[in-house]
Amino acid sequence: MALYVDSPWIEEVEQAVEWGVVEGVTTNPALLAKVETPNNKTLSGLSRALQHKGLVFYQPTAETNEARLQQIHAMNREVGMGLLGVKLPCNPAHLKLAKSLLESNYVVGMTAVFSPGQVALACAVGAQYVLPYVNRSTRLLGDGPELIRQMRTVIDSMGSQTQIIAASIKSPEEAYDTLAAGAHHLTLPFNVLKEMAQHPLTEQAIEDFAKAAKDK
Ligand code: E4P
């Protein structure tokens, strides 16, 4: 199981890497729009923050597959082959693009996934990852973790190597429910990661031990 941080902010990635808890970074167009720097600089900065040891996921936004391919190749030159993951919202045009990217040895994650059927097609095309949106599914469809359970059943029953990186997770509890439902990996906003790293009772215990300790 790997954790990814879902963030366009280099300081957040550096912090998470310092803690030793993340193996990669996911971004999306809305997150990248929150930072001032051009996307290629942001992506190469995120990769540097990962010490070039993990994947940085990028989602192209151009309107045609030809133009998306150009965006992806340009980003790949910035970040480096083997270090760029490509996120493509799961639809027919993007499945077609995924197939050609996979033939060129790109790492591909079909993203914004909301149904087990989409997962079956991502498996069929051979995508390494699917990124279902858990919290959005709970809000819009009813039960995000249950959807993850169904998706995992599809993957396992197809004997597929495709793995779930569950996204759109808003709390430590949701992260736990999602893992228990069968997600292989999680991508988490930094605030959720930070919340998972601490507990008020742990702080209390540290304080109590400090009071009780004797230097000898
Ligand atoms: C994942 O990679 C996405 O960036 C993210 O988790 C989307 O979820 P949200 O917009 O519902 O938070």
Side-chain angles (χ1 to χ4, degrees), residues 6 26 28 31 87 131 133 136 167-168 170 187:
D6 195 28
T26 55
N28 66 36
L31 287 174
K87 282 172 62 180
L131 289 93
Y133 283 8
R136 281 200 217 186
S168 180
K170 305 296 177 198
T187 183

Side-chain angles (χ1 to χ4, degrees), residues 31-91:
L31 287 174
L32 289 176
K34 292 184 182 181
V35 297
E36 291 288 308
T37 44
N39 290 347
N40 60 340
K41 297 290 163 233
T42 306
L43 270 283
S44 57
L46 294 170
S47 185
R48 228 181 356 265
L50 273 179
Q51 297 159 3
H52 306 294
K53 286 183 186 152
L55 291 173
V56 177
F57 278 89
Y58 163 70
Q59 186 174 323
T61 50
E63 294 201 349
T64 63
N65 273 354
E66 290 67 31
R68 288 177 200 126
L69 209 49
Q70 281 179 14
Q71 286 186 307
I72 293 162
H73 289 326
M75 212 49 93
N76 187 44
R77 282 192 292 276
E78 288 289 331
V79 175
M81 192 70 178
L83 295 173
L84 185 78
V86 181
K87 282 172 62 180
L88 299 171
C90 189
N91 71 9

Side-chain angles (χ1 to χ4, degrees), residues 38 46 64 69 119 146 154 161 167 181 207:
L46 294 170
T64 63
L69 209 49
V119 172
E146 175 52 28
V154 167
Q161 299 300 306
E207 211 179 301

